[in-house]
Amino acid sequence: MSKIIIVGHKNPDTDSIISAIAAQELFSKLGFEAQARRAGEANNETKFILEKLGVAMPELASSLNDDEAVVLVDHNEESQSFDQIDYTKVRYVIDHHKMSIKTDGPIFCRIEPIGSTSSLIAKMFFEKKIEISEIVAQMLMAGILSDTLNLTSPTTTTDDKILLEELNAVAKIDAENFVAEMFKAKSSLEGISVEDIIRIDYKTFEMGSNNVGVGTWETTMPESVNEKKSEIIQALINEKIAAKLDYIFFMVVDILKQNCQLYLVGEKEIELAARVFGGELGEQEMLLPGVVSRKKQIVPQLTEALSK
Amino acid sequence: MSKIIIVGHKNPDTDSIISAIAAQELFSKLGFEAQARRAGEANNETKFILEKLGVAMPELASSLNDDEAVVLVDHNEESQSFDQIDYTKVRYVIDHHKMSIKTDGPIFCRIEPIGSTSSLIAKMFFEKKIEISEIVAQMLMAGILSDTLNLTSPTTTTDDKILLEELNAVAKIDAENFVAEMFKAKSSLEGISVEDIIRIDYKTFEMGSNNVGVGTWETTMPESVNEKKSEIIQALINEKIAAKLDYIFFMVVDILKQNCQLYLVGEKEIELAARVFGGELGEQEMLLPGVVSRKKQIVPQLTEALSK
């Protein structure tokens, strides 16, 4: 039996790292030799959660050995995987994003339009009747609460709420308190450079024939990010040139007010945003009330406009 | 709640029609308004099974209404879907083939490298603890036995065998007898033209920048097909030209001897087959001992060679 490496996307968010760790428990209990990895530096929220729960941060993913197969969690797009990945070694995808991967033969794939990959891992534990340890139940709750912005994101489903309750029968945590601490850690700019702000939750997408970068910063304190807006815009322009992107966007998401300031670095982005979202245009930004989800409220709309 | 149309691939085989009918029961019991459809004329094996079990043949799929969403079973490649399909309406994929579909947002997807889509539907019934009716259990057994060639195909997994036993606790059929009758019906050329022989289990694939057609005829009586070989080769050449294909192949699979005569219509096909399979070359054909599965033993190998 080959060894299984479980790994989320580059610029990992909490769900991407936690779903890998939880899947390690799932696959281990199913009899596989499984190891979680991370595809980049974890953010302050993830670090806070793992420290609080006393769980070790997974090692950085690196080149795969011949006997290693891959489980992709929380993504299925090659540009979002760690650089040394070999997609012919992917044997399983567990994700809640749009379908992108093409394979030469059948693999295992479990994708649902659910609030988090952590939700899906929880569901698989329950379906397969595999016992969840208290610590993994706590982690999965944190993953769901993080990715759904405490069940407020439009990506949230009834299943997420039910799974959260089922997990808490094992985890027994004070969810409200836990979330407040998580969001405080997420919003902290301690030790974070301007380059980090755009990199920490950043993804690139193929939209029609365009390469598009979309970063997001979820925070309870948008003003602390807005203070650095001109520097951030310059860093986005640098990234757009360096990565030969056709478009780059950056979302400053106010978790509490449930809105997004979409930073627009140039004429192309302003024109596209005006056409697609039609929000109120400010100085190189557009305010989008109610918009908090890149996956549901930004990427499909841009993809549709750029695929025509 | 929108209405769900469940449909398999064009040139439907038994698994493609039976998994749609069984999924109709699954989704109905989950509270959806669901209807199975077929994407073409059923083959003699499928007709035999449905007649024997007293189940109505699903209606032909046609243009979708605005309130209809689609569940794809047994395929996820647009070229294999019925012509009037709108892929933006696909909400669920249940399949056991390579991953090909790209979507603009997340949908439900359940793919496994398992012997049949019927196996996967059975698994979903058991996971979701939905009661299977006797008739659907019988149909799912037929779907598994058909697609795995009575558990002899290399696509067969341990799960298929376990599911077959679990289904038979409800279905209570004499599987050996049932299979013998199924294969007799499958091998019958009654009412079958040469064009039907290549069309009945025929699929096209994108391989690198090539469009490739691969038909297969599974039979206990290969000699009855081989008698028509020159006519079949001419019909394949006609199809290759009409559909602007780069390559076309046709497999005559001997279910009992477990081998395949691969018909080769021209120089390009002969060169590629020699390079990829290296089998013994006959008169416009190559004998491939042990090869019975298009999905596992033909398509990945051709795809790899044509993607370089």
Side-chain angles (χ1 to χ4, degrees), chain A residues 96-113 127 129 295 300 303, chain B residues 96-113 127 129 295 300 303:
Chain A
H96 68 136
H97 295 90
K98 66 184 175 133
M99 297 180 65
S100 174
I101 187 173
K102 288 199 177 223
T103 62
D104 286 351
I107 65 168
F108 288 88
C109 174
R110 183 72 185 261
I111 297 180
E112 292 194 13
E127 277 175 3
K129 302 182 187 74
K295 183 171 69 176
T303 303
Chain B
H96 68 137
H97 294 90
K98 65 181 176 138
M99 297 181 64
S100 174
I101 187 174
K102 289 198 177 221
T103 63
D104 286 351
I107 64 167
F108 288 89
C109 173
R110 183 71 184 263
I111 298 179
E112 292 194 14
E127 277 175 1
K129 302 182 187 75
K295 183 171 70 175
T303 303

mmCIF file of all heavy atoms in Angstrom, chain A residues 96-113 127 129 295 300 303, chain B residues 96-113 127 129 295 300 303:
data_model
loop_
_atom_site.group_PDB
_atom_site.id
_atom_site.type_symbol
_atom_site.label_atom_id
_atom_site.label_comp_id
_atom_site.label_asym_id
_atom_site.label_seq_id
_atom_site.Cartn_x
_atom_site.Cartn_y
_atom_site.Cartn_z
ATOM 1 N N HIS A 96 -14.651 21.703 -2.009
ATOM 2 C CA HIS A 96 -15.951 22.387 -2.117
ATOM 3 C C HIS A 96 -15.837 23.576 -3.071
ATOM 4 O O HIS A 96 -16.537 24.576 -2.901
ATOM 5 C CB HIS A 96 -16.469 22.798 -0.724
ATOM 6 C CG HIS A 96 -15.663 23.868 -0.056
ATOM 7 N ND1 HIS A 96 -16.243 24.938 0.597
ATOM 8 C CD2 HIS A 96 -14.331 24.060 0.052
ATOM 9 C CE1 HIS A 96 -15.294 25.718 1.094
ATOM 10 N NE2 HIS A 96 -14.129 25.211 0.785
ATOM 11 N N HIS A 97 -14.942 23.449 -4.071
ATOM 12 C CA HIS A 97 -14.787 24.491 -5.087
ATOM 13 C C HIS A 97 -15.230 23.967 -6.457
ATOM 14 O O HIS A 97 -15.516 22.781 -6.612
ATOM 15 C CB HIS A 97 -13.332 24.947 -5.155
ATOM 16 C CG HIS A 97 -12.852 25.626 -3.916
ATOM 17 N ND1 HIS A 97 -12.277 24.941 -2.882
ATOM 18 C CD2 HIS A 97 -12.894 26.924 -3.530
ATOM 19 C CE1 HIS A 97 -11.966 25.790 -1.905
ATOM 20 N NE2 HIS A 97 -12.338 27.007 -2.271
ATOM 21 N N LYS A 98 -15.240 24.869 -7.435
ATOM 22 C CA LYS A 98 -15.600 24.458 -8.792
ATOM 23 C C LYS A 98 -14.664 23.375 -9.312
ATOM 24 O O LYS A 98 -13.524 23.263 -8.870
ATOM 25 C CB LYS A 98 -15.569 25.668 -9.727
ATOM 26 C CG LYS A 98 -14.189 26.278 -9.953
ATOM 27 C CD LYS A 98 -14.303 27.525 -10.814
ATOM 28 C CE LYS A 98 -12.977 28.233 -10.951
ATOM 29 N NZ LYS A 98 -12.668 28.612 -12.334
ATOM 30 N N MET A 99 -15.165 22.591 -10.265
ATOM 31 C CA MET A 99 -14.387 21.470 -10.769
ATOM 32 C C MET A 99 -13.462 21.933 -11.871
ATOM 33 O O MET A 99 -13.866 22.583 -12.823
ATOM 34 C CB MET A 99 -15.333 20.389 -11.278
ATOM 35 C CG MET A 99 -16.187 19.832 -10.145
ATOM 36 S SD MET A 99 -17.303 18.561 -10.695
ATOM 37 C CE MET A 99 -16.126 17.315 -11.173
ATOM 38 N N SER A 100 -12.216 21.542 -11.738
ATOM 39 C CA SER A 100 -11.211 22.029 -12.660
ATOM 40 C C SER A 100 -10.260 20.933 -13.128
ATOM 41 O O SER A 100 -9.796 20.936 -14.253
ATOM 42 C CB SER A 100 -10.428 23.133 -11.951
ATOM 43 O OG SER A 100 -9.366 23.544 -12.727
ATOM 44 N N ILE A 101 -9.975 19.986 -12.238
ATOM 45 C CA ILE A 101 -8.980 18.949 -12.527
ATOM 46 C C ILE A 101 -9.443 18.048 -13.674
ATOM 47 O O ILE A 101 -10.624 17.727 -13.796
ATOM 48 C CB ILE A 101 -8.707 18.100 -11.260
ATOM 49 C CG1 ILE A 101 -7.564 17.120 -11.474
ATOM 50 C CG2 ILE A 101 -9.962 17.392 -10.786
ATOM 51 C CD1 ILE A 101 -7.160 16.382 -10.194
ATOM 52 N N LYS A 102 -8.477 17.694 -14.545
ATOM 53 C CA LYS A 102 -8.731 16.639 -15.545
ATOM 54 C C LYS A 102 -7.773 15.506 -15.245
ATOM 55 O O LYS A 102 -6.616 15.739 -14.919
ATOM 56 C CB LYS A 102 -8.472 17.164 -16.959
ATOM 57 C CG LYS A 102 -9.526 18.138 -17.432
ATOM 58 C CD LYS A 102 -9.512 18.271 -18.959
ATOM 59 C CE LYS A 102 -10.621 19.202 -19.402
ATOM 60 N NZ LYS A 102 -11.346 18.732 -20.580
ATOM 61 N N THR A 103 -8.231 14.282 -15.340
ATOM 62 C CA THR A 103 -7.363 13.143 -15.048
ATOM 63 C C THR A 103 -7.348 12.191 -16.247
ATOM 64 O O THR A 103 -8.220 12.250 -17.100
ATOM 65 C CB THR A 103 -7.853 12.368 -13.806
ATOM 66 O OG1 THR A 103 -9.155 11.843 -14.074
ATOM 67 C CG2 THR A 103 -7.918 13.258 -12.582
ATOM 68 N N ASP A 104 -6.343 11.315 -16.301
ATOM 69 C CA ASP A 104 -6.262 10.337 -17.390
ATOM 70 C C ASP A 104 -7.100 9.095 -17.103
ATOM 71 O O ASP A 104 -7.435 8.336 -18.000
ATOM 72 C CB ASP A 104 -4.808 9.903 -17.617
ATOM 73 C CG ASP A 104 -4.009 10.997 -18.319
ATOM 74 O OD1 ASP A 104 -4.623 11.985 -18.756
ATOM 75 O OD2 ASP A 104 -2.785 10.858 -18.419
ATOM 76 N N GLY A 105 -7.398 8.866 -15.817
ATOM 77 C CA GLY A 105 -8.216 7.715 -15.445
ATOM 78 C C GLY A 105 -9.092 8.110 -14.264
ATOM 79 O O GLY A 105 -8.961 9.213 -13.733
ATOM 80 N N PRO A 106 -9.988 7.210 -13.847
ATOM 81 C CA PRO A 106 -10.858 7.553 -12.719
ATOM 82 C C PRO A 106 -10.084 7.623 -11.406
ATOM 83 O O PRO A 106 -9.207 6.800 -11.151
ATOM 84 C CB PRO A 106 -11.878 6.413 -12.683
ATOM 85 C CG PRO A 106 -11.261 5.291 -13.435
ATOM 86 C CD PRO A 106 -10.279 5.870 -14.395
ATOM 87 N N ILE A 107 -10.395 8.630 -10.584
ATOM 88 C CA ILE A 107 -9.839 8.744 -9.231
ATOM 89 C C ILE A 107 -11.018 8.919 -8.286
ATOM 90 O O ILE A 107 -12.157 9.026 -8.728
ATOM 91 C CB ILE A 107 -8.863 9.930 -9.113
ATOM 92 C CG1 ILE A 107 -9.610 11.265 -9.315
ATOM 93 C CG2 ILE A 107 -7.723 9.813 -10.119
ATOM 94 C CD1 ILE A 107 -8.784 12.477 -8.924
ATOM 95 N N PHE A 108 -10.750 8.938 -6.994
ATOM 96 C CA PHE A 108 -11.810 9.248 -6.043
ATOM 97 C C PHE A 108 -12.021 10.756 -6.032
ATOM 98 O O PHE A 108 -11.056 11.523 -5.952
ATOM 99 C CB PHE A 108 -11.428 8.812 -4.629
ATOM 100 C CG PHE A 108 -11.445 7.330 -4.423
ATOM 101 C CD1 PHE A 108 -10.326 6.567 -4.690
ATOM 102 C CD2 PHE A 108 -12.593 6.701 -3.965
ATOM 103 C CE1 PHE A 108 -10.334 5.192 -4.504
ATOM 104 C CE2 PHE A 108 -12.619 5.326 -3.772
ATOM 105 C CZ PHE A 108 -11.484 4.564 -4.031
ATOM 106 N N CYS A 109 -13.263 11.160 -6.080
ATOM 107 C CA CYS A 109 -13.542 12.594 -6.012
ATOM 108 C C CYS A 109 -14.808 12.818 -5.214
ATOM 109 O O CYS A 109 -15.834 12.189 -5.462
ATOM 110 C CB CYS A 109 -13.715 13.152 -7.413
ATOM 111 S SG CYS A 109 -14.238 14.863 -7.398
ATOM 112 N N ARG A 110 -14.710 13.691 -4.246
ATOM 113 C CA ARG A 110 -15.878 14.035 -3.447
ATOM 114 C C ARG A 110 -15.916 15.554 -3.351
ATOM 115 O O ARG A 110 -15.110 16.161 -2.642
ATOM 116 C CB ARG A 110 -15.717 13.404 -2.053
ATOM 117 C CG ARG A 110 -16.884 13.612 -1.138
ATOM 118 C CD ARG A 110 -18.077 12.761 -1.600
ATOM 119 N NE ARG A 110 -19.233 13.045 -0.788
ATOM 120 C CZ ARG A 110 -19.651 12.307 0.241
ATOM 121 N NH1 ARG A 110 -18.999 11.214 0.577
ATOM 122 N NH2 ARG A 110 -20.729 12.643 0.910
ATOM 123 N N ILE A 111 -16.814 16.143 -4.106
ATOM 124 C CA ILE A 111 -16.973 17.594 -4.084
ATOM 125 C C ILE A 111 -18.424 17.900 -3.745
ATOM 126 O O ILE A 111 -19.331 17.225 -4.222
ATOM 127 C CB ILE A 111 -16.582 18.221 -5.443
ATOM 128 C CG1 ILE A 111 -15.092 17.955 -5.734
ATOM 129 C CG2 ILE A 111 -16.863 19.726 -5.468
ATOM 130 C CD1 ILE A 111 -14.588 18.513 -7.049
ATOM 131 N N GLU A 112 -18.636 18.879 -2.881
ATOM 132 C CA GLU A 112 -19.991 19.334 -2.594
ATOM 133 C C GLU A 112 -19.987 20.851 -2.452
ATOM 134 O O GLU A 112 -19.012 21.422 -1.980
ATOM 135 C CB GLU A 112 -20.519 18.708 -1.289
ATOM 136 C CG GLU A 112 -20.747 17.221 -1.393
ATOM 137 C CD GLU A 112 -21.577 16.650 -0.231
ATOM 138 O OE1 GLU A 112 -22.179 17.427 0.530
ATOM 139 O OE2 GLU A 112 -21.581 15.415 -0.114
ATOM 140 N N PRO A 113 -21.068 21.492 -2.836
ATOM 141 C CA PRO A 113 -21.196 22.930 -2.611
ATOM 142 C C PRO A 113 -21.583 23.177 -1.154
ATOM 143 O O PRO A 113 -22.701 23.567 -0.850
ATOM 144 C CB PRO A 113 -22.306 23.353 -3.581
ATOM 145 C CG PRO A 113 -23.077 22.117 -3.858
ATOM 146 C CD PRO A 113 -22.203 20.932 -3.577
ATOM 147 N N GLU A 127 -20.418 9.219 7.756
ATOM 148 C CA GLU A 127 -20.909 8.224 6.791
ATOM 149 C C GLU A 127 -20.201 6.884 6.948
ATOM 150 O O GLU A 127 -20.816 5.829 6.865
ATOM 151 C CB GLU A 127 -20.642 8.712 5.358
ATOM 152 C CG GLU A 127 -21.675 9.653 4.810
ATOM 153 C CD GLU A 127 -21.261 10.176 3.433
ATOM 154 O OE1 GLU A 127 -20.201 9.758 2.913
ATOM 155 O OE2 GLU A 127 -22.003 10.992 2.907
ATOM 156 N N LYS A 129 -18.810 5.848 9.528
ATOM 157 C CA LYS A 129 -18.920 5.427 10.926
ATOM 158 C C LYS A 129 -17.547 5.255 11.573
ATOM 159 O O LYS A 129 -17.294 4.289 12.301
ATOM 160 C CB LYS A 129 -19.734 4.130 11.047
ATOM 161 C CG LYS A 129 -21.148 4.261 10.462
ATOM 162 C CD LYS A 129 -21.931 2.969 10.645
ATOM 163 C CE LYS A 129 -23.260 3.020 9.917
ATOM 164 N NZ LYS A 129 -23.130 2.898 8.444
ATOM 165 N N LYS A 295 -15.466 32.763 -3.584
ATOM 166 C CA LYS A 295 -15.876 31.600 -4.356
ATOM 167 C C LYS A 295 -17.269 31.748 -4.952
ATOM 168 O O LYS A 295 -17.536 31.321 -6.059
ATOM 169 C CB LYS A 295 -15.843 30.358 -3.454
ATOM 170 C CG LYS A 295 -16.176 29.085 -4.183
ATOM 171 C CD LYS A 295 -15.929 27.878 -3.314
ATOM 172 C CE LYS A 295 -16.930 27.805 -2.185
ATOM 173 N NZ LYS A 295 -16.721 26.571 -1.400
ATOM 174 N N PRO A 300 -17.275 33.195 -9.785
ATOM 175 C CA PRO A 300 -18.168 32.752 -10.870
ATOM 176 C C PRO A 300 -18.597 33.915 -11.774
ATOM 177 O O PRO A 300 -18.675 33.759 -12.991
ATOM 178 C CB PRO A 300 -19.391 32.182 -10.129
ATOM 179 C CG PRO A 300 -18.925 31.915 -8.743
ATOM 180 C CD PRO A 300 -17.840 32.912 -8.451
ATOM 181 N N THR A 303 -15.652 34.846 -13.931
ATOM 182 C CA THR A 303 -15.423 33.756 -14.895
ATOM 183 C C THR A 303 -16.434 33.830 -16.027
ATOM 184 O O THR A 303 -16.087 33.713 -17.209
ATOM 185 C CB THR A 303 -15.520 32.385 -14.195
ATOM 186 O OG1 THR A 303 -14.577 32.343 -13.132
ATOM 187 C CG2 THR A 303 -15.209 31.245 -15.169
ATOM 188 N N HIS B 96 -17.819 6.929 -12.568
ATOM 189 C CA HIS B 96 -16.613 6.143 -12.274
ATOM 190 C C HIS B 96 -15.624 6.230 -13.441
ATOM 191 O O HIS B 96 -14.882 5.282 -13.698
ATOM 192 C CB HIS B 96 -16.982 4.686 -11.932
ATOM 193 C CG HIS B 96 -17.523 3.902 -13.082
ATOM 194 N ND1 HIS B 96 -17.142 2.599 -13.341
ATOM 195 C CD2 HIS B 96 -18.404 4.229 -14.062
ATOM 196 C CE1 HIS B 96 -17.781 2.158 -14.418
ATOM 197 N NE2 HIS B 96 -18.552 3.121 -14.873
ATOM 198 N N HIS B 97 -15.641 7.371 -14.138
ATOM 199 C CA HIS B 97 -14.695 7.607 -15.226
ATOM 200 C C HIS B 97 -13.733 8.734 -14.860
ATOM 201 O O HIS B 97 -13.904 9.396 -13.849
ATOM 202 C CB HIS B 97 -15.449 7.968 -16.512
ATOM 203 C CG HIS B 97 -16.282 6.853 -17.043
ATOM 204 N ND1 HIS B 97 -17.602 6.682 -16.661
ATOM 205 C CD2 HIS B 97 -16.004 5.830 -17.890
ATOM 206 C CE1 HIS B 97 -18.086 5.605 -17.277
ATOM 207 N NE2 HIS B 97 -17.136 5.068 -18.022
ATOM 208 N N LYS B 98 -12.770 8.963 -15.739
ATOM 209 C CA LYS B 98 -11.814 10.050 -15.517
ATOM 210 C C LYS B 98 -12.523 11.399 -15.426
ATOM 211 O O LYS B 98 -13.609 11.582 -15.975
ATOM 212 C CB LYS B 98 -10.780 10.083 -16.651
ATOM 213 C CG LYS B 98 -11.341 10.414 -18.016
ATOM 214 C CD LYS B 98 -10.226 10.383 -19.048
ATOM 215 C CE LYS B 98 -10.751 10.603 -20.451
ATOM 216 N NZ LYS B 98 -9.910 11.505 -21.248
ATOM 217 N N MET B 99 -11.897 12.338 -14.759
ATOM 218 C CA MET B 99 -12.524 13.636 -14.527
ATOM 219 C C MET B 99 -12.262 14.553 -15.709
ATOM 220 O O MET B 99 -11.136 14.745 -16.144
ATOM 221 C CB MET B 99 -11.987 14.243 -13.243
ATOM 222 C CG MET B 99 -12.345 13.380 -12.045
ATOM 223 S SD MET B 99 -11.753 14.051 -10.497
ATOM 224 C CE MET B 99 -12.681 15.573 -10.429
ATOM 225 N N SER B 100 -13.343 15.149 -16.173
ATOM 226 C CA SER B 100 -13.229 15.948 -17.386
ATOM 227 C C SER B 100 -14.005 17.262 -17.286
ATOM 228 O O SER B 100 -13.587 18.272 -17.824
ATOM 229 C CB SER B 100 -13.775 15.113 -18.543
ATOM 230 O OG SER B 100 -13.826 15.865 -19.709
ATOM 231 N N ILE B 101 -15.124 17.253 -16.566
ATOM 232 C CA ILE B 101 -16.006 18.413 -16.499
ATOM 233 C C ILE B 101 -15.318 19.584 -15.795
ATOM 234 O O ILE B 101 -14.572 19.404 -14.839
ATOM 235 C CB ILE B 101 -17.314 18.052 -15.760
ATOM 236 C CG1 ILE B 101 -18.336 19.185 -15.825
ATOM 237 C CG2 ILE B 101 -17.052 17.632 -14.330
ATOM 238 C CD1 ILE B 101 -19.701 18.815 -15.234
ATOM 239 N N LYS B 102 -15.530 20.793 -16.338
ATOM 240 C CA LYS B 102 -15.130 22.018 -15.636
ATOM 241 C C LYS B 102 -16.398 22.797 -15.337
ATOM 242 O O LYS B 102 -17.296 22.858 -16.167
ATOM 243 C CB LYS B 102 -14.205 22.878 -16.504
ATOM 244 C CG LYS B 102 -12.827 22.277 -16.666
ATOM 245 C CD LYS B 102 -11.823 23.337 -17.129
ATOM 246 C CE LYS B 102 -10.449 22.731 -17.208
ATOM 247 N NZ LYS B 102 -9.389 23.600 -16.711
ATOM 248 N N THR B 103 -16.488 23.368 -14.150
ATOM 249 C CA THR B 103 -17.682 24.123 -13.797
ATOM 250 C C THR B 103 -17.295 25.537 -13.360
ATOM 251 O O THR B 103 -16.141 25.792 -13.045
ATOM 252 C CB THR B 103 -18.455 23.438 -12.650
ATOM 253 O OG1 THR B 103 -17.605 23.416 -11.491
ATOM 254 C CG2 THR B 103 -18.858 22.026 -13.000
ATOM 255 N N ASP B 104 -18.280 26.447 -13.370
ATOM 256 C CA ASP B 104 -18.008 27.824 -12.933
ATOM 257 C C ASP B 104 -18.109 27.968 -11.417
ATOM 258 O O ASP B 104 -17.592 28.920 -10.843
ATOM 259 C CB ASP B 104 -18.990 28.804 -13.591
ATOM 260 C CG ASP B 104 -18.650 29.018 -15.056
ATOM 261 O OD1 ASP B 104 -17.582 28.556 -15.484
ATOM 262 O OD2 ASP B 104 -19.455 29.650 -15.755
ATOM 263 N N GLY B 105 -18.798 27.037 -10.765
ATOM 264 C CA GLY B 105 -18.920 27.079 -9.314
ATOM 265 C C GLY B 105 -18.951 25.651 -8.798
ATOM 266 O O GLY B 105 -18.952 24.702 -9.583
ATOM 267 N N PRO B 106 -18.968 25.498 -7.467
ATOM 268 C CA PRO B 106 -18.973 24.135 -6.927
ATOM 269 C C PRO B 106 -20.306 23.428 -7.185
ATOM 270 O O PRO B 106 -21.371 24.038 -7.081
ATOM 271 C CB PRO B 106 -18.754 24.343 -5.428
ATOM 272 C CG PRO B 106 -19.102 25.762 -5.152
ATOM 273 C CD PRO B 106 -18.923 26.529 -6.427
ATOM 274 N N ILE B 107 -20.232 22.150 -7.542
ATOM 275 C CA ILE B 107 -21.419 21.306 -7.674
ATOM 276 C C ILE B 107 -21.163 20.045 -6.843
ATOM 277 O O ILE B 107 -20.088 19.891 -6.286
ATOM 278 C CB ILE B 107 -21.696 20.929 -9.148
ATOM 279 C CG1 ILE B 107 -20.547 20.065 -9.706
ATOM 280 C CG2 ILE B 107 -21.882 22.169 -10.004
ATOM 281 C CD1 ILE B 107 -20.884 19.402 -11.032
ATOM 282 N N PHE B 108 -22.159 19.175 -6.742
ATOM 283 C CA PHE B 108 -21.937 17.889 -6.092
ATOM 284 C C PHE B 108 -21.224 16.958 -7.071
ATOM 285 O O PHE B 108 -21.632 16.860 -8.224
ATOM 286 C CB PHE B 108 -23.261 17.237 -5.687
ATOM 287 C CG PHE B 108 -23.936 17.893 -4.526
ATOM 288 C CD1 PHE B 108 -24.823 18.945 -4.719
ATOM 289 C CD2 PHE B 108 -23.691 17.469 -3.230
ATOM 290 C CE1 PHE B 108 -25.449 19.556 -3.648
ATOM 291 C CE2 PHE B 108 -24.321 18.073 -2.152
ATOM 292 C CZ PHE B 108 -25.198 19.129 -2.359
ATOM 293 N N CYS B 109 -20.214 16.295 -6.600
ATOM 294 C CA CYS B 109 -19.512 15.350 -7.452
ATOM 295 C C CYS B 109 -19.087 14.156 -6.634
ATOM 296 O O CYS B 109 -18.486 14.298 -5.569
ATOM 297 C CB CYS B 109 -18.291 16.015 -8.075
ATOM 298 S SG CYS B 109 -17.275 14.848 -8.969
ATOM 299 N N ARG B 110 -19.432 12.983 -7.115
ATOM 300 C CA ARG B 110 -19.035 11.754 -6.446
ATOM 301 C C ARG B 110 -18.483 10.832 -7.516
ATOM 302 O O ARG B 110 -19.243 10.291 -8.320
ATOM 303 C CB ARG B 110 -20.267 11.140 -5.763
ATOM 304 C CG ARG B 110 -19.979 9.891 -4.976
ATOM 305 C CD ARG B 110 -19.202 10.224 -3.710
ATOM 306 N NE ARG B 110 -18.833 9.031 -3.003
ATOM 307 C CZ ARG B 110 -19.515 8.514 -1.961
ATOM 308 N NH1 ARG B 110 -20.604 9.104 -1.520
ATOM 309 N NH2 ARG B 110 -19.081 7.420 -1.376
ATOM 310 N N ILE B 111 -17.164 10.724 -7.561
ATOM 311 C CA ILE B 111 -16.523 9.843 -8.524
ATOM 312 C C ILE B 111 -15.651 8.865 -7.758
ATOM 313 O O ILE B 111 -14.998 9.246 -6.782
ATOM 314 C CB ILE B 111 -15.679 10.643 -9.554
ATOM 315 C CG1 ILE B 111 -16.586 11.584 -10.364
ATOM 316 C CG2 ILE B 111 -14.906 9.716 -10.494
ATOM 317 C CD1 ILE B 111 -15.871 12.436 -11.390
ATOM 318 N N GLU B 112 -15.674 7.608 -8.155
ATOM 319 C CA GLU B 112 -14.776 6.628 -7.565
ATOM 320 C C GLU B 112 -14.280 5.687 -8.651
ATOM 321 O O GLU B 112 -15.016 5.389 -9.590
ATOM 322 C CB GLU B 112 -15.489 5.804 -6.461
ATOM 323 C CG GLU B 112 -15.844 6.613 -5.246
ATOM 324 C CD GLU B 112 -16.224 5.759 -4.030
ATOM 325 O OE1 GLU B 112 -15.965 4.531 -4.053
ATOM 326 O OE2 GLU B 112 -16.781 6.328 -3.086
ATOM 327 N N PRO B 113 -13.056 5.211 -8.515
ATOM 328 C CA PRO B 113 -12.568 4.196 -9.452
ATOM 329 C C PRO B 113 -13.132 2.834 -9.076
ATOM 330 O O PRO B 113 -12.424 1.964 -8.584
ATOM 331 C CB PRO B 113 -11.046 4.257 -9.281
ATOM 332 C CG PRO B 113 -10.817 4.822 -7.933
ATOM 333 C CD PRO B 113 -12.033 5.607 -7.539
ATOM 334 N N GLU B 127 -24.954 4.381 2.496
ATOM 335 C CA GLU B 127 -24.392 5.473 3.318
ATOM 336 C C GLU B 127 -25.483 6.372 3.894
ATOM 337 O O GLU B 127 -25.420 6.789 5.042
ATOM 338 C CB GLU B 127 -23.470 6.356 2.465
ATOM 339 C CG GLU B 127 -22.071 5.832 2.302
ATOM 340 C CD GLU B 127 -21.269 6.707 1.342
ATOM 341 O OE1 GLU B 127 -21.807 7.724 0.840
ATOM 342 O OE2 GLU B 127 -20.119 6.368 1.101
ATOM 343 N N LYS B 129 -28.454 5.540 4.340
ATOM 344 C CA LYS B 129 -29.421 4.703 5.039
ATOM 345 C C LYS B 129 -30.819 4.826 4.436
ATOM 346 O O LYS B 129 -31.823 4.908 5.135
ATOM 347 C CB LYS B 129 -29.447 5.032 6.538
ATOM 348 C CG LYS B 129 -28.094 4.859 7.213
ATOM 349 C CD LYS B 129 -28.180 5.146 8.710
ATOM 350 C CE LYS B 129 -26.812 5.131 9.355
ATOM 351 N NZ LYS B 129 -26.008 6.339 9.052
ATOM 352 N N LYS B 295 -11.969 1.645 -20.562
ATOM 353 C CA LYS B 295 -11.639 2.707 -19.611
ATOM 354 C C LYS B 295 -10.276 2.528 -18.966
ATOM 355 O O LYS B 295 -9.558 3.488 -18.728
ATOM 356 C CB LYS B 295 -12.706 2.738 -18.510
ATOM 357 C CG LYS B 295 -12.506 3.842 -17.523
ATOM 358 C CD LYS B 295 -13.697 3.956 -16.603
ATOM 359 C CE LYS B 295 -13.768 2.787 -15.662
ATOM 360 N NZ LYS B 295 -14.870 2.973 -14.694
ATOM 361 N N PRO B 300 -6.651 5.345 -21.117
ATOM 362 C CA PRO B 300 -5.531 6.047 -20.460
ATOM 363 C C PRO B 300 -4.232 5.919 -21.253
ATOM 364 O O PRO B 300 -3.470 6.871 -21.350
ATOM 365 C CB PRO B 300 -5.411 5.336 -19.101
ATOM 366 C CG PRO B 300 -6.695 4.628 -18.892
ATOM 367 C CD PRO B 300 -7.210 4.288 -20.259
ATOM 368 N N THR B 303 -4.467 8.117 -24.287
ATOM 369 C CA THR B 303 -4.438 9.526 -23.846
ATOM 370 C C THR B 303 -3.024 9.941 -23.507
ATOM 371 O O THR B 303 -2.568 11.020 -23.902
ATOM 372 C CB THR B 303 -5.347 9.722 -22.613
ATOM 373 O OG1 THR B 303 -6.666 9.296 -22.944
ATOM 374 C CG2 THR B 303 -5.390 11.183 -22.192
#
